[in-house]
Amino acid sequence: MFARAWGIARSLAMYHGIPGRQRRMVRFYRQFLGPGDIGFDIGAHVGSRVRAWSRLGARVIAIEPQPDFVRVLKLLFGRNRRVTVVPLAVGARPGRARIAVSSATPTVSSMSVNWIESVTAADERFAAVRWDRSVEVEVVTLDALIAAHGEPAFCKIDVEGFEVEVLQGLSRPLQALSFEYLPPAHEAALTALQLVERLGAYRYNYAPVETMRLASRRWLDAAGLVELLERHRPLGRSGDVYARRAR
């Protein structure tokens, strides 16, 4: 219980307690979301993006499978009419699955055993992480979420190594989306990129860690994005790939 309480407090401090981060986030996401738009936050965690998107006037669908963080989201946003908390995981097909939870560092809880094994072997920062319990969760597809809540103007996918499975459950192009990039899982990111490419014509960019700053001054094609990621890969820092429909 102490580890779980510490993990929740740590996440709240990390994502809500840094001065200026919310302002930067609102400014950054204004290029993707506006009043009345729908935003899907897949892997909402403690809702830092939920908070920012709501301030932009968007209707936010906050999808989070970890029960502890579902409670946090409902506590923070339960009275916000623009926010809907969905206590589910997202994957390639509907059903049930288990999520490996790290009580002390819940930001790295994952539904992908392969991802846990690969990052533990490749990145010494994960060596001290303990995935000390697991929780069974219900899984839906991104297509099913769209059928239930409407098509999002922007969809954020941050699910610690399960991004490919989430994208496998999407059969239509979206206006804009993002997925997490982690250098030790570089090949998985390339697979995710291929899945996005199959959906339609997109342009791409990359934002390191939580900087809320795009690394390239111009939006790139898929080959240009791969070159950009290769330049950032040796730094070992995570980030997010952004994709928007080509005009």
Side-chain angles (χ1 to χ4, degrees):
M1 287 298 295
F2 175 78
R4 288 169 67 182
W6 165 254
I8 293 169
R10 184 173 181 270
S11 288
L12 286 168
M14 183 186 306
Y15 291 104
H16 289 290
I18 297 178
R21 174 173 284 182
Q22 270 294 306
R23 289 194 300 274
R24 292 194 301 272
M25 200 171 285
V26 168
R27 190 163 55 244
F28 179 82
Y29 282 106
R30 189 172 283 124
Q31 64 188 300
F32 301 114
L33 288 165
D37 287 337
I38 299 172
F40 280 10
D41 188 352
I42 300 178
H45 202 52
V46 291
S48 60
R49 283 164 174 78
V50 176
R51 183 178 163 195
W53 297 357
S54 178
R55 288 181 173 179
L56 288 168
R59 183 161 67 89
V60 187
I61 312 301
I63 304 107
E64 173 57 50
Q66 294 188 67
D68 287 344
F69 291 97
V70 170
R71 287 188 283 270
V72 170
L73 290 168
K74 289 182 176 180
L75 179 65
L76 293 177
F77 305 106
R79 295 184 180 182
N80 189 329
R81 295 182 180 180
R82 287 197 292 268
V83 177
T84 301
V85 178
V86 179
L88 301 172
V90 185
R93 58 192 61 85
R96 298 192 69 82
R98 300 198 73 85
I99 180 171
V101 176
S102 173
S103 297
T105 51
T107 55
V108 297
S109 296
S110 176
M111 293 175 62
S112 173
V113 174
N114 290 336
W115 181 85
I116 291 173
E117 291 175 349
S118 65
V119 297
T120 302
D123 192 332
E124 62 182 15
R125 291 172 297 181
F126 285 88
V129 175
R130 291 181 60 245
W131 287 269
D132 53 324
R133 59 193 179 94
S134 66
V135 178
E136 187 177 68
V137 296
E138 184 178 352
V139 182
V140 297
T141 65
L142 192 41
D143 280 344
L145 287 171
I146 292 170
H149 301 282
E151 184 171 316
F154 182 78
C155 176
K156 184 215 86 177
I157 306 168
D158 185 350
V159 287
E160 307 307 316
F162 215 63
E163 287 79 9
V164 167
E165 285 79 1
V166 172
L167 288 166
Q168 286 173 339
L170 176 65
S171 61
R172 67 172 80 179
L174 302 180
Q175 188 62 34
L177 60 87
S178 71
F179 60 86
E180 186 181 29
Y181 172 70
L182 194 64
H186 181 78
E187 296 304 319
L190 297 185
T191 302
L193 175 61
Q194 291 172 0
L195 290 171
V196 176
E197 281 281 279
R198 291 174 190 171
L199 294 173
Y202 280 89
R203 306 293 285 180
Y204 302 93
N205 218 314
Y206 173 69
V209 285
E210 291 285 318
T211 57
M212 299 296 122
R213 294 178 181 174
L214 296 174
S216 174
R217 291 184 178 180
R218 61 185 182 89
W219 288 77
L220 309 165
D221 61 12
L225 174 71
V226 173
E227 292 179 6
L228 181 65
L229 293 179
E230 288 288 0
R231 292 201 298 271
H232 284 265
R233 187 180 181 184
L235 302 177
R237 302 164 73 196
S238 63
D240 294 285
V241 170
Y242 288 85
R244 68 182 187 188
R245 292 288 298 276
R247 294 171 181 167

mmCIF file of all heavy atoms in Angstrom, residues 14-56:
data_model
loop_
_atom_site.group_PDB
_atom_site.id
_atom_site.type_symbol
_atom_site.label_atom_id
_atom_site.label_comp_id
_atom_site.label_asym_id
_atom_site.label_seq_id
_atom_site.Cartn_x
_atom_site.Cartn_y
_atom_site.Cartn_z
ATOM 1 N N MET A 14 4.865 14.785 -10.644
ATOM 2 C CA MET A 14 5.599 14.830 -11.904
ATOM 3 C C MET A 14 4.786 15.493 -13.013
ATOM 4 O O MET A 14 5.309 16.293 -13.790
ATOM 5 C CB MET A 14 5.975 13.401 -12.322
ATOM 6 C CG MET A 14 6.811 13.297 -13.584
ATOM 7 S SD MET A 14 7.063 11.558 -14.084
ATOM 8 C CE MET A 14 7.728 10.853 -12.573
ATOM 9 N N TYR A 15 3.498 15.179 -13.069
ATOM 10 C CA TYR A 15 2.694 15.627 -14.205
ATOM 11 C C TYR A 15 1.829 16.853 -13.930
ATOM 12 O O TYR A 15 1.363 17.494 -14.872
ATOM 13 C CB TYR A 15 1.823 14.475 -14.702
ATOM 14 C CG TYR A 15 2.637 13.386 -15.354
ATOM 15 C CD1 TYR A 15 2.904 12.197 -14.692
ATOM 16 C CD2 TYR A 15 3.166 13.565 -16.629
ATOM 17 C CE1 TYR A 15 3.670 11.199 -15.293
ATOM 18 C CE2 TYR A 15 3.929 12.580 -17.236
ATOM 19 C CZ TYR A 15 4.174 11.395 -16.559
ATOM 20 O OH TYR A 15 4.945 10.417 -17.143
ATOM 21 N N HIS A 16 1.604 17.165 -12.669
ATOM 22 C CA HIS A 16 0.786 18.339 -12.360
ATOM 23 C C HIS A 16 1.536 19.406 -11.561
ATOM 24 O O HIS A 16 1.039 20.520 -11.425
ATOM 25 C CB HIS A 16 -0.457 17.925 -11.559
ATOM 26 C CG HIS A 16 -1.479 17.173 -12.369
ATOM 27 N ND1 HIS A 16 -2.247 17.768 -13.351
ATOM 28 C CD2 HIS A 16 -1.849 15.876 -12.340
ATOM 29 C CE1 HIS A 16 -3.057 16.864 -13.877
ATOM 30 N NE2 HIS A 16 -2.821 15.714 -13.293
ATOM 31 N N GLY A 17 2.701 19.068 -11.034
ATOM 32 C CA GLY A 17 3.357 19.968 -10.099
ATOM 33 C C GLY A 17 4.500 20.791 -10.645
ATOM 34 O O GLY A 17 5.075 21.610 -9.923
ATOM 35 N N ILE A 18 4.859 20.603 -11.922
ATOM 36 C CA ILE A 18 5.984 21.350 -12.489
ATOM 37 C C ILE A 18 5.490 22.686 -13.025
ATOM 38 O O ILE A 18 4.635 22.715 -13.927
ATOM 39 C CB ILE A 18 6.673 20.543 -13.604
ATOM 40 C CG1 ILE A 18 7.265 19.257 -13.022
ATOM 41 C CG2 ILE A 18 7.754 21.373 -14.281
ATOM 42 C CD1 ILE A 18 7.918 18.361 -14.043
ATOM 43 N N PRO A 19 5.987 23.796 -12.510
ATOM 44 C CA PRO A 19 5.503 25.119 -12.944
ATOM 45 C C PRO A 19 5.674 25.333 -14.449
ATOM 46 O O PRO A 19 6.714 25.017 -15.022
ATOM 47 C CB PRO A 19 6.385 26.090 -12.141
ATOM 48 C CG PRO A 19 6.850 25.303 -10.952
ATOM 49 C CD PRO A 19 7.004 23.892 -11.445
ATOM 50 N N GLY A 20 4.651 25.847 -15.067
ATOM 51 C CA GLY A 20 4.718 26.194 -16.477
ATOM 52 C C GLY A 20 4.390 25.079 -17.441
ATOM 53 O O GLY A 20 4.130 25.340 -18.625
ATOM 54 N N ARG A 21 4.375 23.825 -16.974
ATOM 55 C CA ARG A 21 4.154 22.714 -17.898
ATOM 56 C C ARG A 21 2.762 22.766 -18.510
ATOM 57 O O ARG A 21 2.600 22.527 -19.707
ATOM 58 C CB ARG A 21 4.386 21.377 -17.206
ATOM 59 C CG ARG A 21 4.034 20.179 -18.082
ATOM 60 C CD ARG A 21 4.408 18.866 -17.467
ATOM 61 N NE ARG A 21 5.845 18.629 -17.551
ATOM 62 C CZ ARG A 21 6.436 17.511 -17.115
ATOM 63 N NH1 ARG A 21 5.713 16.576 -16.552
ATOM 64 N NH2 ARG A 21 7.739 17.339 -17.228
ATOM 65 N N GLN A 22 1.739 23.077 -17.710
ATOM 66 C CA GLN A 22 0.380 23.124 -18.247
ATOM 67 C C GLN A 22 0.235 24.215 -19.305
ATOM 68 O O GLN A 22 -0.411 24.012 -20.325
ATOM 69 C CB GLN A 22 -0.628 23.332 -17.116
ATOM 70 C CG GLN A 22 -1.142 22.048 -16.498
ATOM 71 C CD GLN A 22 -1.976 21.216 -17.456
ATOM 72 O OE1 GLN A 22 -2.937 21.702 -18.036
ATOM 73 N NE2 GLN A 22 -1.592 19.957 -17.629
ATOM 74 N N ARG A 23 0.850 25.362 -19.073
ATOM 75 C CA ARG A 23 0.788 26.437 -20.068
ATOM 76 C C ARG A 23 1.422 25.994 -21.381
ATOM 77 O O ARG A 23 0.882 26.256 -22.468
ATOM 78 C CB ARG A 23 1.467 27.701 -19.538
ATOM 79 C CG ARG A 23 0.716 28.414 -18.431
ATOM 80 C CD ARG A 23 1.271 29.812 -18.220
ATOM 81 N NE ARG A 23 2.675 29.814 -17.854
ATOM 82 C CZ ARG A 23 3.132 29.685 -16.620
ATOM 83 N NH1 ARG A 23 2.271 29.529 -15.608
ATOM 84 N NH2 ARG A 23 4.423 29.712 -16.369
ATOM 85 N N ARG A 24 2.576 25.337 -21.285
ATOM 86 C CA ARG A 24 3.240 24.847 -22.496
ATOM 87 C C ARG A 24 2.390 23.802 -23.197
ATOM 88 O O ARG A 24 2.312 23.769 -24.428
ATOM 89 C CB ARG A 24 4.617 24.270 -22.148
ATOM 90 C CG ARG A 24 5.630 25.298 -21.687
ATOM 91 C CD ARG A 24 7.041 24.734 -21.699
ATOM 92 N NE ARG A 24 7.187 23.553 -20.850
ATOM 93 C CZ ARG A 24 7.484 23.596 -19.558
ATOM 94 N NH1 ARG A 24 7.650 24.775 -18.944
ATOM 95 N NH2 ARG A 24 7.622 22.494 -18.865
ATOM 96 N N MET A 25 1.749 22.958 -22.416
ATOM 97 C CA MET A 25 0.937 21.896 -22.984
ATOM 98 C C MET A 25 -0.279 22.463 -23.712
ATOM 99 O O MET A 25 -0.619 22.028 -24.818
ATOM 100 C CB MET A 25 0.516 20.931 -21.865
ATOM 101 C CG MET A 25 0.098 19.569 -22.346
ATOM 102 S SD MET A 25 -0.123 18.401 -20.967
ATOM 103 C CE MET A 25 1.580 18.052 -20.533
ATOM 104 N N VAL A 26 -0.944 23.432 -23.099
ATOM 105 C CA VAL A 26 -2.095 24.068 -23.734
ATOM 106 C C VAL A 26 -1.664 24.721 -25.046
ATOM 107 O O VAL A 26 -2.327 24.581 -26.089
ATOM 108 C CB VAL A 26 -2.740 25.098 -22.784
ATOM 109 C CG1 VAL A 26 -3.750 25.961 -23.538
ATOM 110 C CG2 VAL A 26 -3.412 24.386 -21.609
ATOM 111 N N ARG A 27 -0.554 25.428 -25.009
ATOM 112 C CA ARG A 27 -0.052 26.111 -26.207
ATOM 113 C C ARG A 27 0.301 25.093 -27.300
ATOM 114 O O ARG A 27 -0.005 25.308 -28.479
ATOM 115 C CB ARG A 27 1.175 26.942 -25.823
ATOM 116 C CG ARG A 27 1.658 27.891 -26.897
ATOM 117 C CD ARG A 27 2.577 28.947 -26.316
ATOM 118 N NE ARG A 27 3.703 28.371 -25.598
ATOM 119 C CZ ARG A 27 3.914 28.526 -24.278
ATOM 120 N NH1 ARG A 27 3.087 29.256 -23.547
ATOM 121 N NH2 ARG A 27 4.961 27.968 -23.700
ATOM 122 N N PHE A 28 0.905 23.983 -26.919
ATOM 123 C CA PHE A 28 1.334 22.986 -27.891
ATOM 124 C C PHE A 28 0.144 22.287 -28.547
ATOM 125 O O PHE A 28 0.095 22.136 -29.775
ATOM 126 C CB PHE A 28 2.222 21.947 -27.195
ATOM 127 C CG PHE A 28 2.707 20.853 -28.098
ATOM 128 C CD1 PHE A 28 3.802 21.040 -28.917
ATOM 129 C CD2 PHE A 28 2.071 19.617 -28.123
ATOM 130 C CE1 PHE A 28 4.254 20.029 -29.753
ATOM 131 C CE2 PHE A 28 2.511 18.598 -28.953
ATOM 132 C CZ PHE A 28 3.609 18.799 -29.773
ATOM 133 N N TYR A 29 -0.828 21.869 -27.748
ATOM 134 C CA TYR A 29 -1.930 21.073 -28.286
ATOM 135 C C TYR A 29 -2.990 21.911 -28.991
ATOM 136 O O TYR A 29 -3.891 21.360 -29.627
ATOM 137 C CB TYR A 29 -2.558 20.215 -27.190
ATOM 138 C CG TYR A 29 -1.728 18.991 -26.874
ATOM 139 C CD1 TYR A 29 -0.976 18.927 -25.704
ATOM 140 C CD2 TYR A 29 -1.677 17.934 -27.768
ATOM 141 C CE1 TYR A 29 -0.199 17.813 -25.421
ATOM 142 C CE2 TYR A 29 -0.894 16.815 -27.504
ATOM 143 C CZ TYR A 29 -0.166 16.752 -26.325
ATOM 144 O OH TYR A 29 0.618 15.647 -26.068
ATOM 145 N N ARG A 30 -2.852 23.221 -28.937
ATOM 146 C CA ARG A 30 -3.798 24.073 -29.653
ATOM 147 C C ARG A 30 -3.730 23.834 -31.166
ATOM 148 O O ARG A 30 -4.701 24.089 -31.894
ATOM 149 C CB ARG A 30 -3.512 25.541 -29.312
ATOM 150 C CG ARG A 30 -4.567 26.510 -29.842
ATOM 151 C CD ARG A 30 -4.354 27.908 -29.321
ATOM 152 N NE ARG A 30 -4.815 28.041 -27.932
ATOM 153 C CZ ARG A 30 -4.058 28.455 -26.914
ATOM 154 N NH1 ARG A 30 -2.792 28.767 -27.128
ATOM 155 N NH2 ARG A 30 -4.556 28.550 -25.707
ATOM 156 N N GLN A 31 -2.619 23.324 -31.654
ATOM 157 C CA GLN A 31 -2.498 23.036 -33.088
ATOM 158 C C GLN A 31 -3.302 21.801 -33.498
ATOM 159 O O GLN A 31 -3.532 21.573 -34.691
ATOM 160 C CB GLN A 31 -1.025 22.842 -33.466
ATOM 161 C CG GLN A 31 -0.360 21.637 -32.817
ATOM 162 C CD GLN A 31 1.132 21.597 -33.055
ATOM 163 O OE1 GLN A 31 1.591 21.550 -34.202
ATOM 164 N NE2 GLN A 31 1.909 21.626 -31.979
ATOM 165 N N PHE A 32 -3.748 21.004 -32.514
ATOM 166 C CA PHE A 32 -4.491 19.787 -32.814
ATOM 167 C C PHE A 32 -5.946 19.820 -32.334
ATOM 168 O O PHE A 32 -6.792 19.129 -32.909
ATOM 169 C CB PHE A 32 -3.813 18.579 -32.154
ATOM 170 C CG PHE A 32 -2.396 18.352 -32.580
ATOM 171 C CD1 PHE A 32 -1.350 18.507 -31.679
ATOM 172 C CD2 PHE A 32 -2.099 17.990 -33.881
ATOM 173 C CE1 PHE A 32 -0.040 18.285 -32.062
ATOM 174 C CE2 PHE A 32 -0.787 17.765 -34.288
ATOM 175 C CZ PHE A 32 0.250 17.919 -33.376
ATOM 176 N N LEU A 33 -6.234 20.575 -31.300
ATOM 177 C CA LEU A 33 -7.548 20.535 -30.661
ATOM 178 C C LEU A 33 -8.072 21.942 -30.404
ATOM 179 O O LEU A 33 -7.306 22.854 -30.080
ATOM 180 C CB LEU A 33 -7.478 19.779 -29.332
ATOM 181 C CG LEU A 33 -7.296 18.262 -29.398
ATOM 182 C CD1 LEU A 33 -6.887 17.733 -28.030
ATOM 183 C CD2 LEU A 33 -8.567 17.579 -29.887
ATOM 184 N N GLY A 34 -9.395 22.086 -30.521
ATOM 185 C CA GLY A 34 -10.057 23.346 -30.222
ATOM 186 C C GLY A 34 -11.412 23.102 -29.600
ATOM 187 O O GLY A 34 -11.806 21.947 -29.354
ATOM 188 N N PRO A 35 -12.175 24.149 -29.337
ATOM 189 C CA PRO A 35 -13.488 24.010 -28.710
ATOM 190 C C PRO A 35 -14.403 23.069 -29.491
ATOM 191 O O PRO A 35 -14.542 23.180 -30.708
ATOM 192 C CB PRO A 35 -14.031 25.445 -28.727
ATOM 193 C CG PRO A 35 -12.807 26.306 -28.731
ATOM 194 C CD PRO A 35 -11.810 25.558 -29.571
ATOM 195 N N GLY A 36 -14.970 22.099 -28.779
ATOM 196 C CA GLY A 36 -15.898 21.160 -29.385
ATOM 197 C C GLY A 36 -15.267 19.944 -30.025
ATOM 198 O O GLY A 36 -15.960 18.973 -30.334
ATOM 199 N N ASP A 37 -13.950 19.955 -30.227
ATOM 200 C CA ASP A 37 -13.274 18.781 -30.785
ATOM 201 C C ASP A 37 -13.256 17.646 -29.768
ATOM 202 O O ASP A 37 -13.341 17.874 -28.553
ATOM 203 C CB ASP A 37 -11.830 19.114 -31.175
ATOM 204 C CG ASP A 37 -11.731 19.966 -32.421
ATOM 205 O OD1 ASP A 37 -12.685 19.954 -33.218
ATOM 206 O OD2 ASP A 37 -10.696 20.636 -32.597
ATOM 207 N N ILE A 38 -13.099 16.436 -30.271
ATOM 208 C CA ILE A 38 -12.951 15.265 -29.408
ATOM 209 C C ILE A 38 -11.484 14.880 -29.346
ATOM 210 O O ILE A 38 -10.802 14.808 -30.377
ATOM 211 C CB ILE A 38 -13.780 14.077 -29.936
ATOM 212 C CG1 ILE A 38 -15.271 14.421 -29.970
ATOM 213 C CG2 ILE A 38 -13.549 12.824 -29.077
ATOM 214 C CD1 ILE A 38 -16.128 13.375 -30.648
ATOM 215 N N GLY A 39 -10.984 14.647 -28.134
ATOM 216 C CA GLY A 39 -9.622 14.166 -27.943
ATOM 217 C C GLY A 39 -9.624 12.840 -27.201
ATOM 218 O O GLY A 39 -10.281 12.721 -26.168
ATOM 219 N N PHE A 40 -8.931 11.847 -27.731
ATOM 220 C CA PHE A 40 -8.761 10.559 -27.053
ATOM 221 C C PHE A 40 -7.403 10.558 -26.362
ATOM 222 O O PHE A 40 -6.374 10.724 -27.023
ATOM 223 C CB PHE A 40 -8.790 9.402 -28.051
ATOM 224 C CG PHE A 40 -10.160 8.964 -28.497
ATOM 225 C CD1 PHE A 40 -11.298 9.697 -28.192
ATOM 226 C CD2 PHE A 40 -10.303 7.798 -29.240
ATOM 227 C CE1 PHE A 40 -12.550 9.295 -28.621
ATOM 228 C CE2 PHE A 40 -11.546 7.381 -29.680
ATOM 229 C CZ PHE A 40 -12.680 8.125 -29.366
ATOM 230 N N ASP A 41 -7.402 10.373 -25.056
ATOM 231 C CA ASP A 41 -6.157 10.238 -24.303
ATOM 232 C C ASP A 41 -6.045 8.780 -23.866
ATOM 233 O O ASP A 41 -6.561 8.382 -22.830
ATOM 234 C CB ASP A 41 -6.166 11.173 -23.090
ATOM 235 C CG ASP A 41 -4.830 11.217 -22.372
ATOM 236 O OD1 ASP A 41 -3.947 10.409 -22.716
ATOM 237 O OD2 ASP A 41 -4.667 12.043 -21.453
ATOM 238 N N ILE A 42 -5.362 7.973 -24.681
ATOM 239 C CA ILE A 42 -5.228 6.544 -24.396
ATOM 240 C C ILE A 42 -3.973 6.340 -23.557
ATOM 241 O O ILE A 42 -2.853 6.526 -24.016
ATOM 242 C CB ILE A 42 -5.163 5.737 -25.708
ATOM 243 C CG1 ILE A 42 -6.441 5.952 -26.514
ATOM 244 C CG2 ILE A 42 -4.957 4.252 -25.408
ATOM 245 C CD1 ILE A 42 -6.462 5.238 -27.844
ATOM 246 N N GLY A 43 -4.196 5.971 -22.312
ATOM 247 C CA GLY A 43 -3.135 5.938 -21.312
ATOM 248 C C GLY A 43 -3.110 7.273 -20.589
ATOM 249 O O GLY A 43 -2.087 7.946 -20.508
ATOM 250 N N ALA A 44 -4.275 7.653 -20.047
ATOM 251 C CA ALA A 44 -4.435 9.003 -19.473
ATOM 252 C C ALA A 44 -3.661 9.206 -18.187
ATOM 253 O O ALA A 44 -3.349 10.336 -17.812
ATOM 254 C CB ALA A 44 -5.922 9.288 -19.239
ATOM 255 N N HIS A 45 -3.380 8.125 -17.456
ATOM 256 C CA HIS A 45 -2.602 8.176 -16.214
ATOM 257 C C HIS A 45 -3.238 9.149 -15.211
ATOM 258 O O HIS A 45 -4.382 8.939 -14.817
ATOM 259 C CB HIS A 45 -1.150 8.507 -16.516
ATOM 260 C CG HIS A 45 -0.200 8.092 -15.437
ATOM 261 N ND1 HIS A 45 -0.176 6.819 -14.919
ATOM 262 C CD2 HIS A 45 0.753 8.788 -14.761
ATOM 263 C CE1 HIS A 45 0.738 6.747 -13.969
ATOM 264 N NE2 HIS A 45 1.316 7.928 -13.862
ATOM 265 N N VAL A 46 -2.546 10.239 -14.829
ATOM 266 C CA VAL A 46 -3.140 11.185 -13.875
ATOM 267 C C VAL A 46 -3.777 12.388 -14.563
ATOM 268 O O VAL A 46 -4.200 13.333 -13.912
ATOM 269 C CB VAL A 46 -2.102 11.669 -12.836
ATOM 270 C CG1 VAL A 46 -1.708 10.551 -11.895
ATOM 271 C CG2 VAL A 46 -0.881 12.274 -13.511
ATOM 272 N N GLY A 47 -3.839 12.372 -15.894
ATOM 273 C CA GLY A 47 -4.645 13.361 -16.593
ATOM 274 C C GLY A 47 -4.016 14.701 -16.867
ATOM 275 O O GLY A 47 -4.732 15.697 -16.998
ATOM 276 N N SER A 48 -2.702 14.772 -17.034
ATOM 277 C CA SER A 48 -2.098 16.080 -17.347
ATOM 278 C C SER A 48 -2.592 16.594 -18.699
ATOM 279 O O SER A 48 -2.907 17.781 -18.848
ATOM 280 C CB SER A 48 -0.570 15.983 -17.338
ATOM 281 O OG SER A 48 -0.103 15.048 -18.296
ATOM 282 N N ARG A 49 -2.699 15.704 -19.679
ATOM 283 C CA ARG A 49 -3.217 16.128 -20.972
ATOM 284 C C ARG A 49 -4.732 16.329 -20.934
ATOM 285 O O ARG A 49 -5.260 17.200 -21.621
ATOM 286 C CB ARG A 49 -2.814 15.126 -22.050
ATOM 287 C CG ARG A 49 -1.350 15.306 -22.461
ATOM 288 C CD ARG A 49 -0.808 14.135 -23.226
ATOM 289 N NE ARG A 49 0.539 14.404 -23.714
ATOM 290 C CZ ARG A 49 1.653 14.358 -22.976
ATOM 291 N NH1 ARG A 49 1.574 14.065 -21.671
ATOM 292 N NH2 ARG A 49 2.845 14.607 -23.494
ATOM 293 N N VAL A 50 -5.412 15.539 -20.145
ATOM 294 C CA VAL A 50 -6.854 15.748 -19.962
ATOM 295 C C VAL A 50 -7.115 17.170 -19.484
ATOM 296 O O VAL A 50 -7.998 17.872 -19.997
ATOM 297 C CB VAL A 50 -7.424 14.737 -18.948
ATOM 298 C CG1 VAL A 50 -8.907 15.013 -18.691
ATOM 299 C CG2 VAL A 50 -7.235 13.305 -19.442
ATOM 300 N N ARG A 51 -6.341 17.603 -18.544
ATOM 301 C CA ARG A 51 -6.474 18.953 -17.990
ATOM 302 C C ARG A 51 -6.223 20.018 -19.060
ATOM 303 O O ARG A 51 -7.000 20.968 -19.199
ATOM 304 C CB ARG A 51 -5.482 19.106 -16.833
ATOM 305 C CG ARG A 51 -5.534 20.418 -16.089
ATOM 306 C CD ARG A 51 -4.518 20.348 -14.965
ATOM 307 N NE ARG A 51 -4.194 21.656 -14.417
ATOM 308 C CZ ARG A 51 -3.138 21.880 -13.645
ATOM 309 N NH1 ARG A 51 -2.323 20.888 -13.314
ATOM 310 N NH2 ARG A 51 -2.900 23.093 -13.180
ATOM 311 N N ALA A 52 -5.161 19.839 -19.827
ATOM 312 C CA ALA A 52 -4.820 20.823 -20.857
ATOM 313 C C ALA A 52 -5.864 20.845 -21.967
ATOM 314 O O ALA A 52 -6.301 21.915 -22.406
ATOM 315 C CB ALA A 52 -3.440 20.512 -21.428
ATOM 316 N N TRP A 53 -6.271 19.674 -22.435
ATOM 317 C CA TRP A 53 -7.238 19.619 -23.526
ATOM 318 C C TRP A 53 -8.586 20.190 -23.111
ATOM 319 O O TRP A 53 -9.265 20.840 -23.910
ATOM 320 C CB TRP A 53 -7.403 18.189 -24.002
ATOM 321 C CG TRP A 53 -6.152 17.577 -24.570
ATOM 322 C CD1 TRP A 53 -4.933 18.186 -24.742
ATOM 323 C CD2 TRP A 53 -5.999 16.236 -25.025
ATOM 324 N NE1 TRP A 53 -4.026 17.299 -25.268
ATOM 325 C CE2 TRP A 53 -4.647 16.098 -25.459
ATOM 326 C CE3 TRP A 53 -6.846 15.136 -25.105
ATOM 327 C CZ2 TRP A 53 -4.154 14.892 -25.967
ATOM 328 C CZ3 TRP A 53 -6.364 13.942 -25.611
ATOM 329 C CH2 TRP A 53 -5.033 13.825 -26.036
ATOM 330 N N SER A 54 -8.968 19.935 -21.861
ATOM 331 C CA SER A 54 -10.224 20.488 -21.365
ATOM 332 C C SER A 54 -10.168 22.012 -21.363
ATOM 333 O O SER A 54 -11.161 22.680 -21.672
ATOM 334 C CB SER A 54 -10.506 19.953 -19.959
ATOM 335 O OG SER A 54 -11.686 20.500 -19.435
ATOM 336 N N ARG A 55 -9.024 22.565 -21.036
ATOM 337 C CA ARG A 55 -8.868 24.015 -21.061
ATOM 338 C C ARG A 55 -8.996 24.576 -22.471
ATOM 339 O O ARG A 55 -9.357 25.746 -22.651
ATOM 340 C CB ARG A 55 -7.518 24.407 -20.460
ATOM 341 C CG ARG A 55 -7.437 24.222 -18.954
ATOM 342 C CD ARG A 55 -6.086 24.659 -18.415
ATOM 343 N NE ARG A 55 -6.066 24.628 -16.958
ATOM 344 C CZ ARG A 55 -5.011 24.937 -16.217
ATOM 345 N NH1 ARG A 55 -3.885 25.319 -16.814
ATOM 346 N NH2 ARG A 55 -5.072 24.880 -14.904
ATOM 347 N N LEU A 56 -8.700 23.759 -23.463
ATOM 348 C CA LEU A 56 -8.853 24.182 -24.850
ATOM 349 C C LEU A 56 -10.304 24.099 -25.316
ATOM 350 O O LEU A 56 -10.620 24.477 -26.445
ATOM 351 C CB LEU A 56 -7.977 23.313 -25.760
ATOM 352 C CG LEU A 56 -6.460 23.564 -25.673
ATOM 353 C CD1 LEU A 56 -5.702 22.468 -26.389
ATOM 354 C CD2 LEU A 56 -6.116 24.926 -26.261
#
